């Protein structure tokens, strides 16, 4: 069934009734446009687009998709972050299609994989995006130039209920080709409500957009901003000082970043000197932020409330640490977000005691359905609740994260490591992030990634890849670590790099780090055992 379009703007009570009647995520855009259509939806250094215009643009794409595809067909978008990409995404939601946002930094082989794997019927892109690639894309999907889609209309999304499919989100692919994580309208709506609630996002907020919409973190920013009618500020410069200057000029009030991006910002004098002092909220997700980096970020943003968060592509978001707890609980990832439970499960399938390490298991309404086209992978990650009686009348699936953590006596969680990244050194299980925290505390480094290689004597030999701060010393770093770390946590090797490679998601590229050639900028020191 094709979506309908009101001949004139629907009255407010009609939209409220629609929101109660069904769960299409596009209703959030329709409501924000009706509530205050003149409010800025997207802003960059070149101009702005308001919510009424964004909704009308999404309605034009919804009409195209309704005419060209059936409900639940996959519609892909390969565009830069911005209003066009958002309009295509919400148009897909509105038409009842399944959206697939392709990372804007992907190359042809990765794009072709996502299109083939998802079975996308349509690909909306631009000539500019295609010209960036070194060859044509080989795909049976019909390619639509975003500039050719015009028209107007008031957005009236197709009726969808909570279990209906909304989107396939592809993981960063750090351990191989990316997996397609399937989300429903209901899960996205639940995630929006939870995050808007605990962050306290406001219609007056101006939210910096630095992370691709293709990632669950970047999508989170977009969906929550649109839901509360905030302005999304698009900044694309890879240079930290330019990034800070643009966000200051655009008067950003909310900033979200991953650990490598926070470290990049700390390298910008303007950021350290308080150029973004107008920020009301700041968020970290996408990896553990060492306490020393937290301290430096807070020093640069003394009036900003900083939320440390944890989540994964399969869960939308999982935990958060309120700003009020930062001093009392350094290194903590907080507690479960509203309407969510986080359990720590041991090897025996039971819950571990306070202080013990267990695997993080997520339970709640924001969980994805599973992996697209991968029933075996789905069964490995999305499993029956281990803490529910086997003879319970209702089956329930939870997400086994593969992340290891411990819980203190008051219930606050502390991240330890990925299960597959736990290092076995001298008979001890070691978490890489615990070692990284000590390296950062030395004051000698700007960045580090901890890795391990097989070793006949130690079990695994710990390798620390580091980028030194200005004036930093590898020798002083080694001496500090020898004084602060037990022998089984002490890196056997320090590899100094000018920079650390990153994935398209902004996270560190572990495989690229290991495979990178030994350049002239690299220096090694080996710790004495």
């Amino acid at each position: 069934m094709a979506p309908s379009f009101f001949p004139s703007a629907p009255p407010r009570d009609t939209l409220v009734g629609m929101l109660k009647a069904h769960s299409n995520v596009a209703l959030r855009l329709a409501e924000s446009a009706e509530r205050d259509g003149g409010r800025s939806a997207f802003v960059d250094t070149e101009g702005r687009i308001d919510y009424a215009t964004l909704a009308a643009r999404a309605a034009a794409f919804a009409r195209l998709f309704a005419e060209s595809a059936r409900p639940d067909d996959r519609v892909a978008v390969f565009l830069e972050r911005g209003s066009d990409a958002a309009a295509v995404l919400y148009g897909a939601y509105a038409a009842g299609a399944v959206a697939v946002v392709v990372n804007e930094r992907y190359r042809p082989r990765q794009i072709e994989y996502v299109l083939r794997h998802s079975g996308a019927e349509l690909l909306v892109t631009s000539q500019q995006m295609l010209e960036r690639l070194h060859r044509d894309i080989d795909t049976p999907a019909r390619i639509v130039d975003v500039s050719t889609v015009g028209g107007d209309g008031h957005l009236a999304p197709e009726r969808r209920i909570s279990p209906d499919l909304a989107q396939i989100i592809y993981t960063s692919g750090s351990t191989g080709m990316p997996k397609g994580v399937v989300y429903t309208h209901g899960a996205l709506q639940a995630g929006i409500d939870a995050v808007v609630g605990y962050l306290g996002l406001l219609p007056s907020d101006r939210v910096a957009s630095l992370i691709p919409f293709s990632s669950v973190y970047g999508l989170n920013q977009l969906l929550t901003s649109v839901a509360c009618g905030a302005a999304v500020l698009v900044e694309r410069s890879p240079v930290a000082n330019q990034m800070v200057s643009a966000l200051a000029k655009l008067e950003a009030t909310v900033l979200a970043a991953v650990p490598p991006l926070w470290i990049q910002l700390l390298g910008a004098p303007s950021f350290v000197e308080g150029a973004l002092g107008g920020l009301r909220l700041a968020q970290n997700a996408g990896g553990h932020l060492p306490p020393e980096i937290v301290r430096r970020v807070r020093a640069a943003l003394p009036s900003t409330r900083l939320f440390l968060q944890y989540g994964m592509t399969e869960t939308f978001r999982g935990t958060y640490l309120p700003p009020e707890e930062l001093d009392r609980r350094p290194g903590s990832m907080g507690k479960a977000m509203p309407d969510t439970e986080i359990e720590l499960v041991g090897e025996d399938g039971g819950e571990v005691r306070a202080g013990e390490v267990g695997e993080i298991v997520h339970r709640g309404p924001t969980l994805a359905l599973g992996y697209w086209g991968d029933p075996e992978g789905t069964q490995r990650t999305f499993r029956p609740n281990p803490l529910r009686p086997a003879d319970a009348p209702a089956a329930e699936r939870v997400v086994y994260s593969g992340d290891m953590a411990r819980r203190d006596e008051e219930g606050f969680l502390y991240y330890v490591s990925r299960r597959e990244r736990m290092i076995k050194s001298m008979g001890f299980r070691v978490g890489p992030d615990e070692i990284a925290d000590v390296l950062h505390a030395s004051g000698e480094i700007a960045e580090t990634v901890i890795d391990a290689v097989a070793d006949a004597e130690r079990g695994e030999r710990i390798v620390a890849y580091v980028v030194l701060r200005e004036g930093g010393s590898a020798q002083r770093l080694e001496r500090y670590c020898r004084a602060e770390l037990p022998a089984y946590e002490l890196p056997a090797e320090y590899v100094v790099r000018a920079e650390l490679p990153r994935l398209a998601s902004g996270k560190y590229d572990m495989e690229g780090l290991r495979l990178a050639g030994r350049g002239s900028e690299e220096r090694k020191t080996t710790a004495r055992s």
Side-chain angles (χ1 to χ4, degrees):
M1 182 188 301
S4 56
F5 297 88
F6 289 104
S8 58
R12 170 84 175 163
D13 58 351
T14 300
L15 278 168
V16 171
M18 289 166 63
L19 281 166
K20 293 179 179 178
H22 64 97
S23 299
N24 195 315
V25 179
L27 289 170
R28 298 300 185 105
L29 172 57
E31 187 188 33
S32 289
E34 173 60 21
R35 183 170 57 237
D36 188 353
R39 183 182 292 277
S40 294
F42 276 83
V43 184
D44 59 25
T45 53
E46 297 178 356
R48 63 181 287 274
I49 179 173
D50 60 31
Y51 268 99
T53 304
L54 180 63
R57 188 94 171 107
F61 283 106
R63 182 179 293 108
L64 168 69
F65 301 148
E67 294 170 351
S68 306
R70 299 165 297 178
D72 292 333
D73 276 353
R74 274 71 65 206
V75 170
V77 52
F78 176 55
L79 293 167
E80 283 190 330
R81 270 175 302 122
S83 59
D84 273 350
V88 176
L89 177 62
Y90 279 93
Y93 292 152
V98 178
V100 179
V101 182
V102 182
N103 193 301
E104 60 199 77
R105 300 176 187 173
Y106 272 2
R107 308 305 294 166
R109 187 177 71 89
Q110 296 167 302
I111 298 168
E112 290 165 354
Y113 171 81
V114 169
L115 295 177
R116 181 176 66 255
H117 185 266
S118 65
E121 298 287 337
L122 297 173
L123 170 64
V124 182
T125 185
S126 68
Q127 191 61 36
Q128 180 184 25
M129 293 295 288
L130 295 177
E131 287 174 355
R132 292 181 184 178
L133 306 176
H134 65 271
R135 64 172 175 82
D136 292 340
I137 298 172
D138 181 12
T139 176
R142 174 188 165 196
I143 298 178
V144 177
D145 190 323
V146 68
S147 66
T148 64
V149 180
D152 202 349
H154 293 285
L155 190 62
E158 175 75 11
R159 185 176 188 275
R160 307 299 274 173
I161 61 173
S162 291
D164 286 331
L165 304 189
Q167 189 162 352
I168 304 173
I169 303 174
Y170 279 83
T171 61
S172 59
S174 57
T175 58
M177 296 307 288
K179 293 180 287 190
V181 181
V182 182
Y183 266 92
T184 65
H185 284 270
L188 292 180
Q189 294 274 28
I192 291 167
D193 291 336
V195 175
V196 169
Y198 75 71
L199 288 179
L201 292 175
L202 302 171
S204 57
D205 275 322
R206 299 171 66 81
V207 182
S209 173
L210 306 177
I211 301 168
F213 294 161
S214 55
S215 75
V216 74
Y217 195 10
L219 178 71
N220 194 309
Q221 286 180 271
L222 172 64
L223 297 184
T224 53
S225 298
V226 169
C228 63
V232 179
L233 312 180
V234 179
E235 168 53 27
R236 302 189 183 95
S237 173
V239 180
N241 269 321
Q242 294 179 13
M243 193 185 303
V244 172
S245 175
L247 294 180
K249 182 177 180 181
L250 294 171
E251 300 179 326
T253 65
V254 180
L255 172 63
V258 294
L261 182 53
W262 283 118
I263 291 169
Q264 183 183 357
L265 289 170
L266 286 169
S270 57
F271 178 78
V272 176
E273 293 164 6
L276 295 182
L279 287 176
R280 189 175 73 84
L281 302 173
Q283 310 170 54
N284 177 73
H288 172 70
L289 198 63
E292 173 60 17
I293 302 301
V294 171
R295 184 193 66 76
R296 292 172 60 195
V297 169
R298 293 177 71 196
L301 304 172
S303 301
T304 304
R305 303 186 74 221
L306 173 62
F307 287 80
L308 302 184
Q309 304 163 114
Y310 160 81
M312 53 191 299
T313 306
E314 294 84 348
T315 65
F316 196 80
R317 186 66 57 78
T319 74
Y320 74 100
L321 182 70
E324 297 75 21
E325 298 288 346
L326 287 171
D327 290 326
R328 288 191 289 175
R329 308 180 193 280
S332 175
M333 54 193 280
K335 292 184 177 181
M337 69 177 184
D339 203 24
T340 296
E341 287 186 358
I342 301 291
E343 306 294 352
L344 298 184
V345 175
E347 296 290 345
D348 63 355
E351 190 171 11
V352 302
R353 294 175 295 183
E356 296 179 342
V357 175
E359 182 173 358
I360 297 172
V361 174
H362 295 252
R363 177 175 181 249
T366 68
L367 304 187
L369 279 183
Y371 300 122
W372 184 262
D374 184 6
E376 293 182 0
T378 297
Q379 288 180 355
R380 285 193 298 270
T381 300
F382 297 81
R383 306 187 218 165
N385 187 345
L387 305 181
R388 189 178 179 88
D391 59 353
E396 179 190 36
R397 290 198 306 170
V398 294
V399 167
Y400 277 70
S401 67
D403 290 323
M404 310 301 288
R406 57 182 174 83
R407 180 181 273 123
D408 66 19
E409 294 288 349
E410 296 179 69
F412 284 84
L413 296 157
Y414 294 79
Y415 186 82
V416 175
S417 174
R418 288 291 296 169
R419 176 184 286 277
E420 63 267 22
R421 287 194 65 211
M422 289 293 289
I423 299 169
K424 294 183 180 178
S425 172
M426 301 181 182
F428 291 86
R429 287 165 61 94
V430 178
D433 288 333
E434 296 180 32
I435 302 171
D437 287 352
V438 173
L439 269 67
H440 278 288
S442 73
E444 303 292 342
I445 66 168
E447 298 181 74
T448 185
V449 169
I450 305 299
D451 199 9
V453 295
D455 185 274
E457 294 183 4
R458 297 169 179 253
E460 286 186 291
R461 178 165 51 92
I462 300 170
V463 180
Y465 294 90
V466 301
V467 175
L468 297 174
R469 294 180 69 176
E470 185 175 354
S473 161
Q475 288 71 35
R476 288 196 302 268
L477 172 66
E478 182 181 343
R479 287 197 298 269
Y480 181 89
C481 290
R482 289 183 66 83
E484 297 292 331
L485 289 169
Y488 61 85
E489 289 189 342
L490 189 66
E493 186 177 352
Y494 299 82
V495 180
V496 181
R497 288 272 176 84
E499 61 182 12
L500 302 179
R502 291 174 171 80
L503 296 164
S505 63
K507 299 179 183 180
Y508 291 118
D509 181 359
M510 294 297 295
E511 194 63 28
L513 192 63
R514 296 166 186 146
L515 294 176
R518 303 281 174 158
S520 59
E521 81 285 358
E522 181 181 286
R523 291 183 291 123
K524 290 170 50 181
T525 67
T526 301
R528 296 176 298 277
S529 56

